[in-house]
Amino acid sequence: MSKLLNQVSDQIRIRHYSYRTEKTYKHWIKQYILFHNKTHPNHLDGEAFNAYLTHLAKKKKVSAATQNLARNAILFLYKYVLKKDIGDSNNYVIAKRSRKVPTVFSQDEAKRVIAQLEGRNAIIVKLLYGTGMRISECLQLRIKDVDFDQNLIVVRDGKGEQDRVTMLPESLRDLIKYQIDRVAYLHELDQKNNVPGAFIPFSIEKKYPNAGGELGWYYIFPGKSLSKDPVSGIVRRHHVHESNIQRSVKKAVQSAGIYKQAGCHTFRHSFATHLLENGYDIRSVQELLGHKDVRTTMVYTHVMKKGPLAIKSPLDS
């Protein structure tokens, strides 16, 4: 199995998929093999594939999104690793995803949660709410991606490996500059201690082998300690881990006396909803969020005060 999973890694990296995608795909491929008593996938057919998807839905009761993720991982295995034709992919169960209304903070709630946070964590959460970035996008920000002259942030390799531009909130300019000054000091120490530079994409590293040691490539929110790069095995300074921020936000929501099922992503939902409430057009919000389809952005019209919630109940008339 390990040899097969290494081949999966190779094919994923050739296509420049994210490390998160690599981990997820390998997990579901491993589970698929274990489900069939460690039978090599070459000896399994479409019926076995559908049996596993049915098992996930009926026995494991996973969500539609999770079931489809497992489906995509196994299809990737057959198409790119094993190069085995198992028939039309449409023959394999595609779980229908139900439309859910996102959890959104009011502007007062968002401020109350942020007030519970301090230092680096407060800056990160303010960026989430002030720019609409995902937590992964925020933590992967490099110093070079912030343009103070034009008041913008370039979000690199967002969902779907797409770059986009969002605003730099005026109220965060000084805080971000202060954070960059702290990173500059840390960068200087790393250089003195011969710590390898920040991770950079292979294509850039090949062309500019010393770029990772430049301050501009350093993460704005670096980790306190060095860690092993899971891809290259090099010990270097990575960005702070998502789980640290997620735990802090969960605790802040509770401390603020808010009983919604909320987390880091709630600030992205709130960013979009509050922009629409303030009269900005949906196409502009779509671009800032990086949605390919405007219908994805339209879900926020269901929770904005100027949408269905602006209608007065007949009971209150």
Side-chain angles (χ1 to χ4, degrees):
M1 188 187 296
S2 59
K3 182 179 178 181
L4 181 64
L5 293 178
N6 286 337
Q7 291 173 340
V8 172
S9 291
D10 290 342
Q11 291 301 319
I12 285 175
R13 293 174 190 178
I14 286 171
R15 289 164 179 78
H16 299 285
Y17 288 8
S18 69
Y19 179 65
R20 175 179 290 185
T21 300
E22 179 182 334
K23 280 178 62 179
T24 304
Y25 274 25
K26 287 168 68 175
H27 166 78
W28 287 115
I29 290 168
K30 183 178 180 180
Q31 294 305 310
Y32 174 61
I33 295 170
L34 292 175
F35 174 76
H36 288 293
N37 300 315
K38 299 185 180 180
T39 303
H40 195 285
N42 255 333
H43 304 305
L44 299 172
D45 56 13
E47 189 176 335
F49 185 10
N50 261 335
Y52 179 63
L53 295 177
T54 302
H55 164 76
L56 289 179
K58 291 187 174 180
K59 299 291 184 181
K60 293 294 186 180
K61 300 187 185 301
V62 301
S63 67
T66 300
Q67 185 180 334
N68 288 335
L69 189 56
R71 175 183 179 274
N72 292 341
I74 297 164
L75 285 174
F76 182 92
L77 169 70
Y78 280 115
K79 183 176 181 180
Y80 297 111
V81 181
L82 301 177
K83 296 181 172 34
K84 178 179 178 179
D85 184 7
I86 57 169
D88 188 348
S89 61
N90 292 324
N91 293 332
Y92 306 109
V93 180
I94 302 176
K96 185 178 180 182
R97 298 180 65 173
S98 57
R99 189 183 71 178
K100 295 182 179 179
V101 174
T103 300
V104 174
F105 291 130
S106 68
Q107 292 189 39
D108 176 65
E109 287 173 333
K111 291 174 182 176
R112 279 162 50 198
V113 174
I114 291 171
Q116 304 297 320
L117 299 163
E118 298 178 338
R120 178 201 66 193
N121 291 356
I123 299 174
I124 290 171
V125 175
K126 285 177 180 178
L127 269 175
L128 298 181
Y129 181 43
T131 66
M133 284 188 287
R134 300 174 179 88
I135 180 64
S136 58
E137 294 169 342
C138 182
L139 297 184
Q140 290 173 27
L141 274 182
R142 318 273 187 153
I143 290 175
K144 68 180 182 59
D145 296 328
V146 180
D147 188 329
F148 290 102
D149 291 333
Q150 298 190 67
N151 263 20
L152 61 82
I153 294 172
V154 181
V155 181
R156 306 284 183 186
D157 291 328
K159 194 171 182 180
E161 298 182 21
Q162 299 295 315
D163 291 356
R164 71 177 189 279
V165 173
T166 188
M167 75 283 281
L168 168 63
E170 189 71 36
S171 59
L172 290 182
R173 284 174 59 89
D174 289 343
L175 283 173
I176 297 296
K177 285 181 177 179
Y178 170 71
Q179 178 65 18
I180 289 174
D181 286 342
R182 294 183 64 189
V183 177
Y185 174 72
L186 190 61
H187 170 261
E188 188 177 338
L189 287 179
D190 282 352
Q191 292 292 294
K192 286 181 180 178
N193 293 324
N194 295 317
V195 174
F199 165 80
I200 58 175
F202 176 72
S203 56
I204 298 176
E205 186 177 42
K206 190 176 180 181
K207 191 173 182 180
Y208 305 105
N210 298 318
E214 296 174 4
L215 177 60
W217 278 96
Y218 257 56
Y219 294 108
I220 292 181
F221 302 108
K224 291 182 179 179
S225 57
L226 305 181
S227 57
K228 188 176 180 180
D229 190 311
V231 176
S232 66
I234 297 172
V235 176
R236 52 162 48 108
R237 193 174 301 281
H238 205 54
H239 59 69
V240 64
H241 200 277
E242 287 181 26
S243 60
N244 295 333
I245 312 304
Q246 289 164 343
R247 283 194 296 267
S248 296
V249 169
K250 288 286 186 184
K251 187 176 179 181
V253 170
Q254 293 175 353
S255 299
I258 296 169
Y259 303 104
K260 295 177 177 178
Q261 191 69 29
C264 292
H265 209 67
T266 309
F267 286 101
R268 177 173 163 87
H269 294 323
S270 304
F271 164 84
T273 304
H274 297 163
L275 284 183
L276 292 171
E277 287 177 351
N278 291 336
Y280 291 97
D281 69 276
I282 198 164
R283 292 287 181 182
S284 297
V285 177
Q286 177 192 358
E287 283 189 31
L288 290 170
L289 293 174
H291 288 161
K292 290 183 179 179
D293 193 328
V294 72
R295 287 177 295 182
T296 307
T297 317
M298 285 181 67
V299 70
Y300 299 111
T301 63
H302 296 282
V303 288
M304 58 186 284
K305 292 179 181 177
K306 293 180 182 178
L309 299 184
I311 300 172
K312 195 173 185 179
S313 167
L315 185 65
D316 299 329
S317 299

